[in-house]
mmCIF file of all heavy atoms in Angstrom:
data_model
loop_
_atom_site.group_PDB
_atom_site.id
_atom_site.type_symbol
_atom_site.label_atom_id
_atom_site.label_comp_id
_atom_site.label_asym_id
_atom_site.label_seq_id
_atom_site.Cartn_x
_atom_site.Cartn_y
_atom_site.Cartn_z
ATOM 1 N N GLY A 722 -2.198 7.386 9.149
ATOM 2 C CA GLY A 722 -2.796 7.859 10.405
ATOM 3 C C GLY A 722 -2.146 9.099 10.964
ATOM 4 O O GLY A 722 -2.363 9.456 12.141
ATOM 5 N N HIS A 723 -1.397 9.809 10.149
ATOM 6 C CA HIS A 723 -0.708 11.039 10.601
ATOM 7 C C HIS A 723 -1.703 12.173 10.775
ATOM 8 O O HIS A 723 -2.770 12.193 10.124
ATOM 9 C CB HIS A 723 0.378 11.441 9.589
ATOM 10 C CG HIS A 723 1.544 10.538 9.571
ATOM 11 N ND1 HIS A 723 2.470 10.541 8.539
ATOM 12 C CD2 HIS A 723 1.953 9.571 10.416
ATOM 13 C CE1 HIS A 723 3.398 9.625 8.806
ATOM 14 N NE2 HIS A 723 3.107 9.034 9.927
ATOM 15 N N ASP A 724 -1.317 13.137 11.622
ATOM 16 C CA ASP A 724 -2.269 14.255 11.879
ATOM 17 C C ASP A 724 -1.836 15.531 11.181
ATOM 18 O O ASP A 724 -2.546 16.524 11.257
ATOM 19 C CB ASP A 724 -2.414 14.500 13.377
ATOM 20 C CG ASP A 724 -1.100 14.861 14.057
ATOM 21 O OD1 ASP A 724 -0.049 14.965 13.383
ATOM 22 O OD2 ASP A 724 -1.130 15.020 15.293
ATOM 23 N N THR A 725 -0.667 15.536 10.519
ATOM 24 C CA THR A 725 -0.188 16.771 9.887
ATOM 25 C C THR A 725 0.182 16.462 8.426
ATOM 26 O O THR A 725 0.864 15.480 8.156
ATOM 27 C CB THR A 725 1.051 17.333 10.623
ATOM 28 O OG1 THR A 725 0.691 17.525 11.993
ATOM 29 C CG2 THR A 725 1.482 18.648 10.018
ATOM 30 N N MET A 726 -0.255 17.352 7.546
ATOM 31 C CA MET A 726 0.057 17.190 6.109
ATOM 32 C C MET A 726 0.581 18.492 5.542
ATOM 33 O O MET A 726 0.280 19.580 6.066
ATOM 34 C CB MET A 726 -1.204 16.727 5.380
ATOM 35 C CG MET A 726 -1.670 15.348 5.818
ATOM 36 S SD MET A 726 -3.092 14.735 4.908
ATOM 37 C CE MET A 726 -2.334 14.363 3.299
ATOM 38 N N TYR A 727 1.351 18.371 4.473
ATOM 39 C CA TYR A 727 2.061 19.517 3.889
ATOM 40 C C TYR A 727 1.942 19.514 2.369
ATOM 41 O O TYR A 727 1.805 18.469 1.731
ATOM 42 C CB TYR A 727 3.565 19.410 4.204
ATOM 43 C CG TYR A 727 3.919 19.283 5.655
ATOM 44 C CD1 TYR A 727 3.849 18.053 6.314
ATOM 45 C CD2 TYR A 727 4.314 20.394 6.405
ATOM 46 C CE1 TYR A 727 4.176 17.935 7.652
ATOM 47 C CE2 TYR A 727 4.646 20.293 7.748
ATOM 48 C CZ TYR A 727 4.582 19.053 8.354
ATOM 49 O OH TYR A 727 4.908 18.939 9.687
ATOM 50 N N TRP A 728 2.076 20.713 1.820
ATOM 51 C CA TRP A 728 2.313 20.860 0.377
ATOM 52 C C TRP A 728 3.617 21.599 0.171
ATOM 53 O O TRP A 728 3.871 22.648 0.822
ATOM 54 C CB TRP A 728 1.189 21.645 -0.328
ATOM 55 C CG TRP A 728 0.022 20.800 -0.691
ATOM 56 C CD1 TRP A 728 -1.237 20.837 -0.186
ATOM 57 C CD2 TRP A 728 -0.017 19.781 -1.700
ATOM 58 N NE1 TRP A 728 -2.032 19.900 -0.766
ATOM 59 C CE2 TRP A 728 -1.325 19.234 -1.719
ATOM 60 C CE3 TRP A 728 0.935 19.252 -2.610
ATOM 61 C CZ2 TRP A 728 -1.704 18.214 -2.572
ATOM 62 C CZ3 TRP A 728 0.553 18.258 -3.453
ATOM 63 C CH2 TRP A 728 -0.758 17.725 -3.433
ATOM 64 N N TYR A 729 4.440 21.056 -0.725
ATOM 65 C CA TYR A 729 5.712 21.678 -1.118
ATOM 66 C C TYR A 729 5.711 21.896 -2.609
ATOM 67 O O TYR A 729 5.127 21.143 -3.358
ATOM 68 C CB TYR A 729 6.921 20.767 -0.792
ATOM 69 C CG TYR A 729 7.237 20.627 0.665
ATOM 70 C CD1 TYR A 729 6.630 19.652 1.464
ATOM 71 C CD2 TYR A 729 8.182 21.456 1.276
ATOM 72 C CE1 TYR A 729 6.953 19.514 2.794
ATOM 73 C CE2 TYR A 729 8.500 21.322 2.643
ATOM 74 C CZ TYR A 729 7.863 20.335 3.362
ATOM 75 O OH TYR A 729 8.186 20.193 4.707
ATOM 76 N N LYS A 730 6.471 22.908 -3.038
ATOM 77 C CA LYS A 730 6.700 23.136 -4.469
ATOM 78 C C LYS A 730 8.206 22.980 -4.737
ATOM 79 O O LYS A 730 9.023 23.529 -3.967
ATOM 80 C CB LYS A 730 6.255 24.559 -4.834
ATOM 81 C CG LYS A 730 6.473 24.930 -6.309
ATOM 82 C CD LYS A 730 6.023 26.342 -6.582
ATOM 83 C CE LYS A 730 6.275 26.714 -8.056
ATOM 84 N NZ LYS A 730 5.878 28.127 -8.335
ATOM 85 N N GLN A 731 8.545 22.198 -5.764
ATOM 86 C CA GLN A 731 9.952 22.043 -6.130
ATOM 87 C C GLN A 731 10.136 22.533 -7.555
ATOM 88 O O GLN A 731 9.537 22.005 -8.487
ATOM 89 C CB GLN A 731 10.383 20.592 -6.003
ATOM 90 C CG GLN A 731 11.922 20.413 -6.223
ATOM 91 C CD GLN A 731 12.396 19.034 -5.877
ATOM 92 O OE1 GLN A 731 11.826 18.033 -6.322
ATOM 93 N NE2 GLN A 731 13.507 18.944 -5.129
ATOM 94 N N ASP A 732 10.988 23.566 -7.700
ATOM 95 C CA ASP A 732 11.175 24.148 -9.024
ATOM 96 C C ASP A 732 12.181 23.349 -9.830
ATOM 97 O O ASP A 732 12.683 22.282 -9.378
ATOM 98 C CB ASP A 732 11.578 25.629 -8.898
ATOM 99 C CG ASP A 732 12.911 25.795 -8.171
ATOM 100 O OD1 ASP A 732 13.730 24.871 -8.136
ATOM 101 O OD2 ASP A 732 13.136 26.909 -7.620
#
Side-chain angles (χ1 to χ4, degrees):
Chain A
H723 290 165
D724 61 2
T725 304
M726 295 183 72
Y727 305 82
W728 276 112
Y729 288 88
K730 179 181 179 182
Q731 188 171 47
D732 62 23

